[in-house]
């Protein structure tokens, strides 16, 4: 058993005992009440699942196993000559609850490198798709095609005991995370560089190697990828991509099928696709105003025009957060440290000043502040990655870390098939009488 799996097993054995006795003694305890508004309103805030990897506070933002992003930047191992955390370290932390040592992270980089080969039929499938297939649709199709390699599905077909589900899911998770950057980079080079593919560089870490295979070898871009793939990894369990992965996984679909479903969910413009919509919005604004340095007054007028035409301002608002997203602020910090004079980044910072008061003025937007997607595109554009239809794939590669860790935990804790209750309008009319 490998070193990470061993720690995960030990931790999960402890937690299993705790959960069993907790449910035996307190299983009937009420933890929430549901209002009619929540029933009609996308189940906002309804407490309905356990998610060990991270927790989201409306005011404070995300904490991964208790650590906020500034603490992660301080405590997770880094690559020499870089200050940004390695996503390998976050994966280790989310799975075990323990901060890894530098040597643990090196081991994990090597392990993912060892498991990274992508089946030829996945490349063939991608090659067969029309050029106008959205990169997120390509990612989803590629993940489904790799299901042929699922350890879970193979062992299940052979009659695996339910006590071994966690082990097979761990194997699928490690293999999938290892393969994702190669598949994602293949999609990028195929879609935008005439299928001129770049071989991995085995001396690099997971994120650095991804940057390299995309075709970007600027050390600052590698550094950005390490930070980017860390901060997008998880946002507790209720967001659409996490919840979708959880729901599909609860049917005992393999990690491949569950993750592909989560990616389909991430591909919606109210969720992960907002990162492409933000930069599209900015490009459109700059083109219309015929400047790359619009004034705040010009930006305000453009934002107002969008709102008047019945559109949302992408990158602003959140279902849970009620403050500027710490993931936005972290990216802002990266830009201030590394590329303070970038014009496109400056536009993002001006939007940050202009948009919140306008949204507040509408009187209905619960959170007028920027979310993670408001900043990421401008950083990518600065380094030359301008093909914005690809942006959500980057988000997806990162999000896989959190949702797959949680799938491992769901399997080891034996979470059952998810099946909430729906109601009819007749029931609603009856209940309010
Ligand atoms: N621009 C304009 N109107 C907005 C708005 C925005 N950015 N955010 C919210 N509103 C509107 C809603 O459309 C809603 O209007 P109606 O009552 O007329 O339907 C009203 O304000 C109340 O919405 P809310 O309760 O504040 O927000 P929700 O929890 O319903 O929705 C969303 C949260 C993120 C979907 C929403 O803020 C939005 O559409 N934002 C723009 C898209 C975006 O940035 N999505 C990414 C979110 C983060 C994420 O998941 N990243 O992956």
């Amino acid at each position: 058993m490998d070193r990470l799996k061993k720690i995960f097993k030990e931790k999960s054995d402890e937690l299993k005992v705790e959960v069993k006795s907790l449910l035996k003694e307190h299983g009937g305890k009420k933890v929430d009440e549901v209002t009619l508004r929540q029933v009609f309103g996308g189940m906002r805030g309804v407490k309905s699942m356990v998610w060990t990897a991270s927790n989201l506070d409306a005011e404070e933002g995300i904490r991964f196993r208790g650590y906020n992003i500034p603490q992660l930047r301080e405590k997770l191992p880094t690559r020499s000559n870089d200050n940004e955390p390695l996503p390998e370290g976050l994966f280790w932390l989310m799975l075990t609850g323990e901060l890894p040592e530098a040597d643990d992270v090196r081991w994990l980089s090597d392990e993912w490198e060892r498991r990274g080969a992508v089946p030829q039929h996945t490349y063939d499938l991608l090659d067969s798709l029309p050029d106008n297939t959205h990169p997120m649709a390509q990612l989803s199709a590629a993940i489904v095609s790799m299901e042929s390699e699922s350890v879970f599905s193979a062992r299940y077909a052979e009659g695996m005991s339910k006590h071994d589900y966690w082990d097979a899911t761990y194997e699928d998770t490690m293999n999938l995370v290892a393969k994702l950057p190669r598949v994602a980079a293949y999609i990028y080079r195929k879609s935008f560089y005439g299928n001129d593919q770049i071989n991995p560089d085995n001396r690099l870490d997971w994120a650095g190697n991804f940057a390299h295979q995309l075709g970007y070898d600027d050390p600052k871009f590698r550094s950005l990828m390490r930070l980017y793939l860390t901060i997008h990894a998880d946002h507790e369990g209720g967001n659409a991509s996490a919840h979708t992965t959880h729901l599909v996984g609860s049917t005992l679909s393999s990690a491949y099928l569950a993750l592909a479903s989560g990616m389909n969910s991430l591909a919606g413009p109210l969720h992960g696709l907002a990162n492409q919509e933000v930069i599209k919005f900015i490009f459109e604004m700059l083109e219309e105003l015929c400047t790359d340095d619009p004034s705040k007054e010009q930006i305000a007028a453009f934002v107002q025009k969008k709102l008047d035409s019945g559109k949302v301002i992408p990158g602003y608002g959140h279902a849970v957060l009620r403050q500027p997203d710490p993931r936005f602020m972290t990216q802002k910090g990266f830009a201030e440290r590394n590329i303070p004079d970038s014009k496109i980044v400056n536009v993002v910072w001006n939007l940050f000043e202009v948009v919140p008061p306008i949204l507040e003025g509408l009187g209905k937007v619960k959170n007028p502040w920027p979310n993670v997607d408001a900043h990421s595109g401008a950083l990518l554009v600065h380094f030359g990655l301008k093909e914005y239809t690809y942006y959500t794939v980057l988000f997806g590669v990162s999000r896989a870390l959190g949702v797959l860790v949680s799938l491992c935990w769901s399997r080891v804790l034996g979470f059952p098939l998810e099946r909430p209750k729906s109601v009819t309008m007749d029931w609603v009319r009856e209940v309010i009488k």
Side-chain angles (χ1 to χ4, degrees), residues 237-266:
N239 71 78
S241 52
H243 190 196
T244 308
T245 309
H246 178 73
L247 168 66
V248 175
S250 85
T251 69
L252 293 186
S253 274
S254 72
Y256 292 81
L257 298 178
L259 180 68
S261 309
M263 292 299 104
N264 294 341
S265 178
L266 192 71

Side-chain angles (χ1 to χ4, degrees), residues 80 93 260 300 325 336 402 404 425:
S80 56
L93 173 67
D325 191 331
E336 283 160 352
L404 290 174
M425 276 308 293

Side-chain angles (χ1 to χ4, degrees), residues 2 17 145 175-176 186 207 212 241 255 269 293 299 322-323 358-359 387 393 425:
D2 73 51
V17 174
S145 79
N175 291 337
L176 238 173
Y186 190 90
H212 165 71
S241 52
D293 189 17
I299 293 177
R322 295 297 175 255
Q323 291 289 335
I358 298 179
L359 290 183
E387 301 87 359
V393 173
M425 276 308 293

Side-chain angles (χ1 to χ4, degrees), residues 309-383:
S309 67
K311 305 229 171 74
V312 295
I313 306 304
Y316 282 78
H318 200 273
V320 179
L321 283 169
R322 295 297 175 255
Q323 291 289 335
D325 191 331
R327 300 171 299 175
F328 175 92
M329 300 310 287
T330 301
Q331 294 177 84
K332 186 165 180 283
F334 179 92
E336 283 160 352
R337 287 190 300 279
N338 292 286
I339 47 170
D341 301 322
S342 165
K343 277 199 169 153
I344 188 88
V345 167
N346 206 35
V347 174
V348 167
W349 294 350
N350 283 336
L351 278 162
F352 181 30
E353 282 185 42
V354 169
V355 174
I358 298 179
L359 290 183
E360 248 168 355
L362 296 178
K364 63 173 182 177
V365 182
K366 295 196 190 66
N367 176 39
W369 299 110
N371 57 56
V372 65
D373 300 316
H375 210 305
S376 52
L379 295 174
L380 298 168
V381 168
H382 176 86
F383 286 103

Side-chain angles (χ1 to χ4, degrees), residues 35-50:
T35 64
L36 205 51
R37 190 171 290 115
Q38 288 171 304
V39 172
F40 277 88
M43 300 189 280
R44 292 288 185 285
V46 178
K47 296 183 187 70
S48 55
M49 72 182 106
V50 171

Side-chain angles (χ1 to χ4, degrees), residues 173-234:
T173 292
M174 291 287 278
N175 291 337
L176 238 173
V177 170
K179 293 173 201 306
L180 273 180
R182 292 202 192 172
V183 168
Y186 190 90
I187 292 169
Y188 180 69
R189 301 293 302 180
K190 172 195 164 269
S191 301
F192 307 109
Y193 286 86
N195 222 349
D196 178 14
Q197 300 295 335
I198 297 170
N199 286 329
D201 178 345
N202 303 346
R203 294 162 304 178
L204 288 166
D205 51 292
W206 187 72
N209 206 358
F210 184 25
H212 165 71
Q213 288 171 88
L214 288 169
Y216 297 86
D217 281 320
D218 180 340
K220 279 189 183 169
F221 185 82
R222 281 188 198 155
S223 180
L224 172 64
M225 272 301 103
R226 289 172 189 129
L227 182 65
Y228 186 114
L229 298 178
T230 298
I231 64 175
H232 286 78
D234 208 32

